[in-house]
Every structure is written in structure tokens, then in C-alpha cells.
């Protein structure tokens, strides 16, 4: 089963993405912030794709992307910007 990292700080959005990935046969690896995402990538070298939110409480998605690329990883990366308004 292919692993996909889902980095999203908004629980409802992350849950929606994770549910749909599972329904389609993927194994999501969930992170609510950039620090956790980077640690999970080290523990899961078989992740094939990272879905990164930009607006995060600690390290933004662009910086997470830079660090993944600096590590030499060749995984696919998709960066998204989701802004919810009340």
C-alpha cells in the first residue's frame, strides 16, 4: 500500500483527506504541524507523496518542502493553501 503524508493543521480538512485516501487504497500518514511531518518522514522513508498545507502554526508548508528537498528525497510534493473563514 502506498503511503501519503498529509500535513494539515485543520482537523476537519485533514480527516476529510485521510478518509478519501483510505477509500482509494492509500495509507495516510497524518501530521498537524511541520515539525511532526518532518519527523514522520524520517520514520516512514517509503512515503511516496507529501500533501502540504502552507498555513501552519510552526514551520510553514514551503519550509517543509525546502527541507524535504534538501534531504535529497525524491518524493512527490503538492502544496495547498486553504483559508477558512468563519
Amino acid at each position: 500500500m502506498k503511503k501519503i503524508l498529509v500535513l494539515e493543521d485543520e482537523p476537519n480538512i485533514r480527516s476529510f483527506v485521510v478518509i478519501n485516501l483510505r477509500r482509494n487504497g492509500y495509507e495516510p500518514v497524518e501530521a498537524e504541524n511541520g515539525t511532526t511531518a518532518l519527523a514522520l518522514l524520517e520514520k516512514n522513508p517509503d512515503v511516496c507523496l507529501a500533501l502540504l498545507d502552507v498555513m501552519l502554526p510552526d514551520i510553514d508548508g514551503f519550509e517543509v518542502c525546502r527541507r524535504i528537498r534538501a534531504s535529497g528525497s525524491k518524493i512527490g510534493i503538492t502544496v495547498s493553501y486553504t483559508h477558512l473563514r468563519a
Side-chain angles (χ1 to χ4, degrees):
M1 189 178 303
K2 292 186 178 183
K3 288 185 183 178
I4 297 178
L5 174 71
V6 179
L7 171 55
E8 172 59 63
D9 62 325
E10 181 60 43
N12 292 333
I13 295 171
R14 188 173 63 247
S15 176
F16 175 78
V17 172
V18 165
I19 287 168
N20 283 287
L21 287 172
R22 284 192 180 122
R23 284 183 182 164
N24 286 284
Y26 296 97
E27 182 181 344
V29 177
E30 299 179 59
E32 68 281 350
N33 61 55
T35 304
T36 301
L38 293 169
L40 286 170
L41 282 171
E42 284 185 28
K43 293 178 183 175
N44 295 276
D46 55 341
V47 166
C48 62
L49 176 68
L51 304 175
L52 309 177
D53 184 17
V54 172
M55 303 290 288
L56 296 167
D58 61 348
I59 305 168
D60 69 40
F62 293 124
E63 182 59 25
V64 172
C65 181
R66 284 185 206 95
R67 292 185 190 188
I68 292 171
R69 288 296 175 235
S71 75
S73 176
K74 302 293 184 195
I75 67 172
I77 297 175
T78 299
V79 180
S80 70
Y81 174 77
T82 305
H83 181 71
L84 299 177
R85 293 181 190 237

